[in-house]
Amino acid sequence: MKNWMVLFMVAALVTLVNQDACAWGKKKVENKREVVKPETPYEKLFKGKKCETAKGKFITLHKVGEKLYFELPLSYLERRMLLASTLTGASDNDLGEVGYKSNDPLHIKFTKTDSTIYMRLVNTAATYNEKEAGMRKAYERNFMDPMLKAYKIMAYTNDSAAVVIDMTEFFAKHNEMLPALPDNVGGFISVSASPNNDGFALRDIKAFDDNVSIKTDMAYKVSMSVLGMFTIRSNDPVSVRVTRTLLLLPEKKMRPRISDSRVGIFLTDKINLSTEEDQIQTYSLAHRWRLEPKDMEAYKRGELVEPIKPIVFYLDDAFPELWREPIKEGTMRWNKAFEKIGFKNVVQVLDFPKDDPDFDPDNLKYSCIRYLPSTTANAMGPSWVDPVTGEIINASVLVYNNVIKLINNWRFVQTAQIDPSVRNKKMPDEIVKESIAYVVAHEVGHCLGFMHNMAASAAYPVDSLRSATFTQQYGTTPSIMDYARFNYVAQPGDKGVRLTPPDLGVYDEFLVKWNYQPIPEAESMKEEAAILEKWVDEKAGDPRYRYGCQQVASRYDPSALEEDLGDDPMKAGEYGIRNLQYILKNMDQWITGDDDGEHKEALMESLMEQYFRYLQNVRYNIGGIYLTRVKEGTRGEKYQAVPKAVQKASLAWIIRQIRQSDWLNNRELCKKLNLQVSAAPIVQDVISGELLKSYKGVILSAHVSQDPYTLKEYFNDLYNGIWENTLKGKKLTSGDIILQTALVDMINGMVGEKTKKSSLFGLSKMASVEEMVAYGLDESGMMRKYMDILKNIEDEKGTDYVTRQIHPDAFGQGYGWQREVSVKAIDNSTTYIVALAYRIKSLLESKLSSVDSATKDHYKMLLLNLNRALKV
């Protein structure tokens, strides 16, 4: 009994111990399961993969092989951003500029519906009157934000604060919304880029507090053609590297500034929904940096204060050393104007940081001054804005290497008559620095939001430009934003005359005041606009503050031209031609060490182009109409025909110049150049064609004038001028022969049977290729490069064909160029042209028996064409 009891108790104890062990074991297993939790979709997405992560306060980027993931915080949904693509590297810089954004940044936001993230384009075309209850509904129904892309949510982060979406296709593949290459160059060269998928590779990723950047290598097969007619490249391999930046825009918006069409500021157009007027209202916002005083109270007391956020440019470390200081000087000279409105140290220039791994000149966050080793002879100053307010977010100054060649040619043909230091193949360092500073200051003006003002240089009397006192104070123009280059009016012997434009003109200082002076007393955008309008009203009628739009396609106003000086193009031209004759006479002795003659040939081309501009500047007087933005009730006229006497004198002046331009044929110099046609007949031929199309302007000019220069008078003056030596029985000059031939060709094209050239003499006011090149209207430089092809197209299609393809509606950026005015309803030119044909026919027939054999042959050829035209 006792033994049995002992055995029973032992067995029970063993059972109890075993039960406790199982229970402990189970508990241990259960605890282990709680520690090793199941993997989340977020963790599975990156498990076992080589992942490079760039983390910032904004968006986190994950690069997994060739995949790119955005980790987008939900707190940034509906926030507005700019998405920009910048060319970072290229195998062919003819197709794009490194550091440039060939397309405006996309203004986007992300939204979420269920399990999908949508990338939407923000529609900023319209605003509405918030006081009118129905306008918000109308706005929301009619101005939705269009959807660009939809992305499936791949995972939420473990804290559910952000979502992960796959952005590989958008950033690491060919994307038409973020093109790596432009679809055209210069507006007339079409570019077809077929992606080579083997050459696409995702590179660097970076993330910051308010932006992310992604670099991608891309490869294409590129074909190019001129207006679809001439193939210039076919399936050439091209590789590029691009940097895409997604930048968060500030939540607190800058107060916009409503533009004024009398002030040359870049702008963004808007419409406003309101019943305040009996129509949809249109207005524009000026482009401007957000410039606010650090200490508003000190600013109000009249003290100079620094801005909260200065305008900082980073200077490319690739620039030639000689250029660096003048670039800085030209950039920061705008601080003089800012100081006049109470700011100091506004514009700053810093070198590219050498020890900052986060710095990236192609990131939208940084504004830079970039060096482009290209044969293009140009510089640019583009900027990009927040479309809601017009706030400039980023700007770049792009300086092409061969701008130095352009400066060399300008300084020689415009100032060598008075400045011995430029009579060299290579410009002295001081001249280079002086000129580079001017070029950069002009481009920085664009970066500040300022458009070209081509009317500025017409404000100063021509003879004032020969005055040392006047030019030392005012330079050559009231605005550096004009294309008024160097002082070609100054004559040999004029002492102490300034040869360069001003550091900044009075108009430039007014631009800074209008665009950037804070107006703290104004409580709204409209109150501010009323104050600004009064500032402009006060300047109305003062030619120094007159704004003249750049006439890119249709050219009507002879006082708003590029590359001119002074208020009288005939007088300025006389001075300029005198200087060109002096320069040409001495060029061969001045320019030495040019064994192959290449530099002399380039200078000769520049001299011919300069002479062409002098003649063309006067030609614009014929049928010209002065155009001025005028507010009702202030001084000035919106449009005013060039006075009749000036038009008549201009016509006679040009014919005289064509007849007397044989001085261009410097035979000794030409022997040292490549085989080519002499300069005089080239210029005579081109300017004859320009002169004969002047009647198109005369039609409209006469129509709006109180004392018109009529078509009848124009054709009569044309007849008496072109046939003067024939009428007087004098020997014809080469200019006479070219003019007479051109006139008969025009008649044949107008009233004869249709020929290939008949379209040359339509009623278009569009610029020719010659004008586009001579006046710097083609910033790409490609029009000059393909001049021969384009002129052949003009011969086939008409003198306005090329320009019409580039600018089909004659409108452009800013307030728009003058629209081409149709004069079809009032055109009776055929009547006068037919009468002119019979008059010339009668004259030539009467002279056949009294001229030498060569002249007789010339007249017979003209009579043959006239008889064909008149069907005699």
Side-chain angles (χ1 to χ4, degrees):
M1 181 72 176
K2 193 172 185 180
N3 291 337
W4 178 86
M5 289 287 292
V6 171
L7 290 173
F8 177 80
M9 290 178 65
V10 169
L13 181 61
V14 169
T15 301
L16 182 62
V17 170
N18 286 340
Q19 287 177 344
D20 288 344
C22 277
W24 178 84
K26 288 179 181 177
K27 188 174 183 180
K28 185 175 182 181
V29 170
E30 287 174 2
N31 287 342
K32 186 175 182 180
R33 286 175 184 166
E34 287 178 6
V35 172
V36 184
K37 294 181 180 179
E39 288 179 328
T40 66
Y42 179 80
E43 292 166 339
K44 287 180 180 179
L45 193 60
F46 305 109
K47 182 180 179 181
K49 300 172 184 175
K50 184 178 179 182
C51 179
E52 178 186 344
T53 297
K55 188 173 182 61
K57 291 182 180 179
F58 178 34
I59 292 173
T60 296
L61 302 178
H62 301 284
K63 179 185 172 187
V64 181
E66 288 301 312
K67 288 280 190 179
L68 176 68
Y69 298 99
F70 269 29
E71 188 175 307
L72 175 66
L74 297 178
S75 59
Y76 289 115
L77 294 177
E78 301 288 347
R79 281 291 301 273
R80 297 180 177 190
M81 312 166 189
L82 287 183
L83 177 56
S85 181
T86 306
L87 189 65
T88 299
S91 63
D92 185 340
N93 61 10
D94 271 353
L95 287 170
E97 296 84 5
V98 170
Y100 183 57
K101 300 159 187 60
S102 58
N103 288 69
D104 287 340
L106 298 174
H107 187 202
I108 67 166
K109 67 179 183 181
F110 290 99
T111 63
K112 176 180 174 293
T113 303
D114 299 327
S115 60
T116 304
I117 296 293
Y118 294 96
M119 179 192 290
R120 296 184 181 276
L121 194 65
V122 180
N123 190 339
T124 61
T127 56
Y128 62 91
N129 187 345
E130 296 180 0
K131 296 179 181 178
E132 298 184 59
M135 287 303 169
R136 180 182 181 89
K137 294 179 181 178
Y139 172 83
E140 290 175 346
R141 291 171 185 165
N142 291 276
F143 296 94
M144 294 173 58
D145 296 326
M147 190 264 286
L148 297 178
K149 290 284 184 181
Y151 299 97
K152 179 183 176 182
I153 296 175
M154 305 192 71
Y156 282 83
T157 53
N158 291 340
D159 60 3
S160 298
V163 295
V164 179
I165 54 178
D166 185 347
M167 298 293 281
T168 308
E169 290 295 320
F170 199 87
F171 284 95
K173 301 295 182 182
H174 176 69
N175 185 344
E176 292 184 357
M177 284 184 283
L178 292 177
L181 295 172
D183 59 7
N184 76 82
V185 177
F188 65 94
I189 299 177
S190 59
V191 179
S192 174
S194 301
N196 176 2
N197 292 326
D198 291 336
F200 283 67
L202 192 61
R203 295 302 183 194
D204 301 339
I205 58 172
K206 292 182 180 180
F208 305 96
D209 289 351
D210 62 355
N211 76 89
V212 293
S213 72
I214 302 102
K215 293 188 187 298
T216 309
D217 286 347
M218 300 182 173
Y220 294 90
K221 295 285 188 179
V222 173
S223 298
M224 300 170 66
S225 68
V226 176
L227 296 174
M229 300 179 187
F230 296 89
T231 298
I232 54 179
R233 299 178 71 161
S234 180
N235 288 323
D236 288 355
V238 173
S239 293
V240 296
R241 178 168 292 178
V242 293
T243 299
R244 273 66 180 269
T245 303
L246 184 60
L247 176 68
L248 190 66
L249 290 170
E251 279 190 290
K252 184 180 179 182
K253 296 294 185 182
M254 175 188 78
R255 179 196 285 175
R257 186 159 284 189
I258 297 175
S259 68
D260 189 313
S261 63
R262 299 169 294 170
V263 181
I265 308 288
F266 289 114
L267 47 86
T268 295
D269 292 325
K270 303 280 185 183
I271 63 173
N272 187 52
L273 310 180
S274 172
T275 59
E276 292 177 352
E277 296 181 21
D278 292 341
Q279 62 179 354
I280 295 289
Q281 297 127 47
T282 60
Y283 69 103
S284 301
L285 300 181
H287 291 183
R288 50 200 291 266
W289 295 85
R290 191 173 195 155
L291 214 60
E292 300 164 329
K294 275 185 179 178
D295 186 339
M296 179 58 81
E297 294 308 312
Y299 182 84
K300 289 178 180 179
R301 292 193 299 269
E303 299 175 23
L304 278 179
V305 299
E306 292 187 341
I308 294 173
K309 186 179 180 182
I311 303 168
V312 179
F313 289 94
Y314 290 86
L315 183 61
D316 199 332
D317 52 14
F319 271 110
E321 189 60 35
L322 179 65
W323 296 18
R324 298 180 66 80
E325 283 307 312
I327 287 174
K328 291 180 179 180
E329 188 276 314
T331 303
M332 293 191 293
R333 69 170 55 167
W334 285 95
N335 283 330
K336 299 173 187 175
F338 282 107
E339 287 171 4
K340 292 190 175 183
I341 62 167
F343 284 108
K344 64 180 179 180
N345 301 326
V346 169
V347 182
Q348 301 177 14
V349 183
L350 304 177
D351 292 334
F352 274 12
K354 296 185 181 300
D355 53 0
D356 182 357
D358 292 337
F359 174 77
D360 183 348
D362 297 318
N363 188 313
L364 190 63
K365 186 80 173 175
Y366 299 98
S367 296
C368 298
I369 304 173
R370 304 296 298 271
Y371 173 68
L372 300 178
S374 164
T375 57
T376 300
N378 197 14
M380 291 196 300
S383 59
W384 295 274
V385 304
D386 180 343
V388 174
T389 62
E391 178 183 356
I392 298 175
I393 301 298
N394 177 278
S396 296
V397 176
L398 306 176
V399 185
Y400 300 80
N401 180 82
N402 271 21
V403 75
I404 197 68
K405 178 182 178 181
L406 187 64
I407 289 169
N408 185 309
N409 294 349
W410 279 344
R411 289 305 296 258
F412 185 81
V413 301
Q414 294 175 9
T415 67
Q417 76 279 2
I418 194 172
D419 185 0
S421 70
V422 303
R423 298 170 184 171
N424 300 286
K425 184 178 178 181
K426 185 173 174 59
M427 293 290 106
D429 287 354
E430 288 307 308
I431 297 295
V432 170
K433 290 192 286 188
E434 180 183 64
S435 302
I436 288 286
Y438 152 64
V439 168
V440 171
H442 175 96
E443 301 307 334
V444 171
H446 288 318
C447 292
L448 295 174
F450 306 147
M451 288 195 286
H452 288 137
N453 178 9
M454 297 310 183
S457 57
Y460 290 160
V462 170
D463 283 327
S464 294
L465 302 178
R466 297 188 60 190
S467 163
T469 304
F470 182 90
T471 55
Q472 289 299 331
Q473 183 172 356
Y474 300 110
T476 56
T477 172
S479 176
I480 201 170
M481 301 314 298
D482 198 345
Y483 275 4
R485 306 303 184 186
F486 303 99
N487 194 344
Y488 62 74
V489 168
Q491 298 293 292
D494 290 348
K495 303 295 184 183
V497 176
R498 179 170 179 162
L499 301 178
T500 58
D503 289 346
L504 294 177
V506 292
Y507 175 80
D508 304 317
E509 293 171 350
F510 181 72
L511 285 178
V512 169
K513 173 184 170 71
W514 188 94
N515 211 29
Y516 288 104
Q517 182 164 309
I519 307 177
E521 64 270 27
E523 296 185 0
S524 69
M525 181 173 69
K526 287 190 174 181
E527 283 188 22
E528 188 176 82
I531 295 170
L532 293 166
E533 188 174 15
K534 288 180 182 178
W535 292 357
V536 185
D537 290 347
E538 292 168 0
K539 305 298 184 184
D542 187 333
R544 297 174 301 165
Y545 297 94
R546 174 176 170 243
Y547 165 60
C549 291
Q550 183 171 12
Q551 304 172 93
V552 174
S554 301
R555 296 170 75 79
Y556 290 88
D557 187 348
S559 69
L561 299 177
E562 308 82 1
E563 314 290 348
D564 66 338
L565 291 178
D567 62 350
D568 183 344
M570 278 186 285
K571 182 180 283 189
E574 289 283 359
Y575 284 133
I577 292 166
R578 214 180 291 171
N579 288 334
L580 290 182
Q581 291 171 337
Y582 180 78
I583 291 168
L584 182 58
K585 183 179 179 181
N586 293 282
M587 184 191 297
D588 196 32
Q589 289 73 43
W590 289 345
I591 305 300
T592 58
D594 187 30
D595 295 336
D596 59 2
E598 182 180 354
H599 186 61
K600 289 176 183 175
E601 191 162 318
L603 291 178
M604 190 65 201
E605 289 177 3
S606 294
L607 189 144
M608 291 168 61
E609 197 167 274
Q610 190 75 19
Y611 180 55
F612 169 78
R613 284 195 291 264
Y614 294 152
L615 272 60
Q616 187 74 335
N617 290 350
V618 175
R619 203 277 294 175
Y620 286 125
N621 274 341
I622 307 167
I625 301 172
Y626 302 125
L627 301 172
T628 306
R629 306 277 181 171
V630 178
K631 173 188 166 186
E632 189 173 348
T634 61
R635 291 174 292 173
E637 299 288 338
K638 281 192 173 181
Y639 56 84
Q640 194 171 13
V642 173
K644 176 179 178 177
V646 174
Q647 295 193 52
K648 287 177 69 71
S650 297
L651 178 60
W653 188 90
I654 293 175
I655 291 174
R656 186 168 63 252
Q657 285 297 331
I658 294 173
R659 186 175 287 132
Q660 297 174 354
S661 57
D662 287 345
W663 59 269
L664 279 167
N665 297 330
N666 185 323
R667 296 194 177 277
E668 288 304 313
L669 177 63
C670 287
K671 289 178 183 178
K672 301 179 181 180
L673 309 180
N674 290 325
L675 177 64
Q676 57 191 283
V677 175
S678 299
I682 293 175
V683 175
Q684 289 165 341
D685 180 61
V686 173
I687 203 64
S688 293
E690 295 292 330
L691 174 64
L692 294 176
K693 71 180 185 182
S694 297
Y695 79 92
K696 303 168 188 178
V698 172
I699 297 170
L700 184 60
S701 175
H703 181 69
V704 302
S705 176
Q706 296 296 315
D707 180 23
Y709 182 49
T710 64
L711 270 181
K712 182 178 181 180
E713 290 173 288
Y714 165 80
F715 281 115
N716 187 60
D717 290 345
L718 201 64
Y719 173 83
N720 289 326
I722 291 177
W723 304 98
E724 179 183 356
N725 283 340
T726 300
L727 289 164
K728 293 179 178 179
K730 292 184 177 181
K731 182 176 176 60
L732 300 184
T733 67
S734 60
D736 284 323
I737 294 170
I738 288 172
L739 267 171
Q740 291 173 2
T741 303
L743 179 56
V744 172
D745 280 347
M746 183 187 89
I747 293 170
N748 203 27
M750 290 288 291
V751 300
E753 294 182 7
K754 297 298 180 183
T755 67
K756 286 185 177 181
K757 290 192 176 184
S758 62
S759 59
L760 294 178
F761 307 108
L763 292 174
S764 172
K765 281 285 289 183
M766 303 286 271
S768 65
V769 170
E770 292 281 1
E771 289 173 274
M772 295 287 288
V773 170
Y775 287 91
L777 301 177
D778 167 44
E779 293 187 347
S780 72
M782 290 294 148
M783 194 167 276
R784 185 184 295 275
K785 184 174 182 178
Y786 294 103
M787 173 76 86
D788 290 342
I789 291 176
L790 294 173
K791 289 179 75 172
N792 286 336
I793 292 174
E794 280 191 334
D795 287 344
E796 178 74 22
K797 301 286 188 178
T799 54
D800 68 342
Y801 181 83
V802 173
T803 310
R804 194 171 290 284
Q805 305 312 301
I806 302 171
H807 307 290
D809 58 2
F811 273 121
Q813 59 194 189
Y815 307 103
W817 303 309
Q818 171 61 43
R819 183 188 290 274
E820 186 179 15
V821 179
S822 173
V823 294
K824 183 179 179 181
I826 57 173
D827 174 30
N828 60 347
S829 57
T830 304
T831 300
Y832 297 107
I833 289 171
V834 170
L836 180 63
Y838 278 108
R839 194 175 181 186
I840 296 169
K841 180 175 181 295
S842 176
L843 172 65
L844 295 179
E845 289 172 342
S846 72
K847 296 293 183 179
L848 282 177
S849 61
S850 60
V851 294
D852 58 58
S853 60
T855 306
K856 182 182 291 188
D857 290 341
H858 168 63
Y859 288 166
K860 284 181 178 179
M861 180 273 295
L862 297 180
L863 280 167
L864 177 64
N865 283 333
L866 285 170
N867 287 332
R868 284 175 177 169
L870 298 170
K871 296 183 174 60
V872 177

